[in-house]
Amino acid sequence: MVESYLRQSALAHLGLEARDQSGQEGAQVRLQEKVLPAAVNLRGDPSDEGFLAATHQALGVALPLEPNRVESSERIAVLWLGPNEWLAVSHDDEPTAESRLAERLREALADSHAAVTEVGESLACIHIAGPRAADVIAKGCPLDLHPGAFTAGHCAQSHIAKTAVTLHQVDDAGAAAGPGYDLYTRRSFSDYLWRWLSDAAREYLGA
Amino acid sequence: MLLIPCPYCGLRSETEFSNGGEAHIVRPENPEALSDAEWAEFVFLRDNPKGVLLERWNHAQGCRRWFNVARDTVTYEILAVYPMGAAPPALDRRRVV
Ligand SMILES: [Zn+2]
């Protein structure tokens, strides 16, 4: 039995919730910390039909087999991390969400050669969106985020300002509010990344 | 900056990768049977060609997989990328520029 406890946001010390949110509407760049992700790292053999079927059943979505792609539902996003590695994330801050997700996978994969690891506690998720969001990221990241190369449903692991990030594009450039990205980074780097992004976005303030 | 074709993720910036040195260095089956000179050869001595070098790279900030690369040390051109454990592709090893 997992004891429930309070999970504290990685950026709680910045008091983001108390900040004035007016003027966010129509802003060129918007930054927001998402609730702590319930995240599970999954390793297994994609050529094993049983593994694919079991994970599909446990997650509700099929594993993305194409590199740098995400399969998602309302509830969960499954990111391709490597040829035999995925990250299943749900933005559910209910304290047992992650252990329940891991348990479902472990049960389904009892007969498979696979590994299920809870990793949500190590991560923080910063959401950056707006017409100039890709320009802000591009200041410190070598990924090609041009809409011709990268769209909603793509993901990639890379670095922003020397910090390792897993980037998931959730909204297309054509969306009314501009493109949106979920940036997963190590919890201990989230303060640095937040400040770096805020600074990089300064030139688009009031544009 | 080089663009390196990760066999799994596709073309990515060099800054996402780390170099793992020369490829295809096979650990001797019987280390205790080697002379000091032969052991030093295995541990320390590496080729340093002007031309094609077969080397290992790790996509450290990406998928974290290892793979082999054939790279021209003069032009930095990447001539081939192939999986760990695979034999190197046929290349003109004496390529000169
Ligand atoms: Zn890769």
Side-chain angles (χ1 to χ4, degrees):
Chain A
M1 178 62 202
V2 179
E3 273 187 56
S4 60
Y5 57 97
L6 281 175
R7 301 174 83 210
Q8 192 179 41
S9 132
L11 297 176
H13 59 286
L14 296 180
L16 300 174
E17 275 163 22
R19 293 191 186 182
D20 181 9
Q21 299 293 312
S22 61
Q24 286 263 329
E25 207 70 21
Q28 294 295 301
V29 181
R30 296 182 309 282
L31 276 173
Q32 170 210 341
E33 184 192 13
K34 284 203 171 176
V35 295
L36 280 183
V40 168
N41 182 288
L42 174 65
R43 303 288 302 264
D45 178 3
S47 66
D48 174 357
E49 295 289 337
F51 169 75
L52 294 181
T55 48
H56 192 162
Q57 173 246 317
L59 296 168
V61 293
L63 293 182
L65 298 182
E66 198 180 338
N68 307 315
R69 292 299 197 285
V70 182
E71 290 290 340
S72 53
S73 65
E74 290 276 288
R75 212 165 45 78
I76 203 165
V78 185
L79 284 63
W80 182 96
L81 297 184
N84 55 17
E85 186 175 7
W86 295 266
L87 183 73
V89 189
S90 92
H91 291 281
D92 183 346
D93 59 354
E94 198 283 310
T96 62
E98 182 169 291
S99 53
R100 282 186 286 115
L101 172 61
E103 209 44 54
R104 272 207 310 282
L105 278 165
R106 288 204 182 97
E107 260 170 45
L109 294 170
D111 299 325
S112 300
H113 181 61
V116 174
T117 316
E118 291 103 317
V119 294
E121 299 283 318
S122 71
L123 299 173
C125 180
I126 296 174
H127 182 73
I128 178 167
R132 306 304 297 267
D135 298 307
V136 171
I137 296 171
K139 289 186 188 186
C141 175
L143 290 174
D144 181 3
L145 296 177
H146 187 276
F150 211 95
T151 55
H154 280 71
C155 67
Q157 297 170 92
S158 185
H159 52 82
I160 297 179
K162 299 176 185 166
T163 305
V165 292
T166 301
L167 178 151
H168 170 200
Q169 182 164 357
V170 288
D171 292 309
D172 262 322
Y181 307 86
D182 280 349
L183 307 176
Y184 297 95
T185 188
R186 301 264 179 262
R187 191 184 164 98
S188 54
F189 283 87
S190 59
D191 176 81
Y192 163 75
L193 184 62
W194 177 277
R195 291 173 197 269
W196 188 91
L197 289 167
S198 311
D199 182 58
R202 276 178 71 133
E203 67 168 299
Y204 305 119
L205 282 179
Chain B
M1 185 160 63
L2 292 179
L3 279 178
I4 299 177
C6 170
Y8 306 107
C9 304
L11 270 187
R12 294 292 188 88
S13 156
E14 177 188 355
T15 55
E16 293 183 7
F17 295 84
S18 67
N19 182 292
E22 189 181 342
H24 308 295
I25 305 286
V26 181
R27 187 179 172 84
E29 291 230 349
N30 291 308
E32 60 277 13
L34 297 188
S35 68
D36 284 354
E38 287 167 325
W39 184 247
E41 166 79 28
F42 161 68
V43 175
F44 299 115
L45 299 182
R46 297 291 179 262
D47 284 348
N48 185 21
K50 181 178 182 182
V52 179
L53 176 64
L54 304 177
E55 55 192 4
R56 302 174 302 175
W57 284 83
N58 179 247
H59 193 185
Q61 298 264 37
C63 64
R64 294 177 299 283
R65 268 30 173 218
W66 285 94
F67 55 97
N68 292 312
V69 170
R71 184 173 63 91
D72 190 312
T73 59
V74 177
T75 61
Y76 282 13
E77 199 180 343
I78 289 170
L79 304 166
V81 167
Y82 56 102
M84 297 308 285
L91 292 163
D92 179 7
R93 300 294 295 276
R94 286 161 311 158
R95 224 173 102 98
V96 277
V97 184

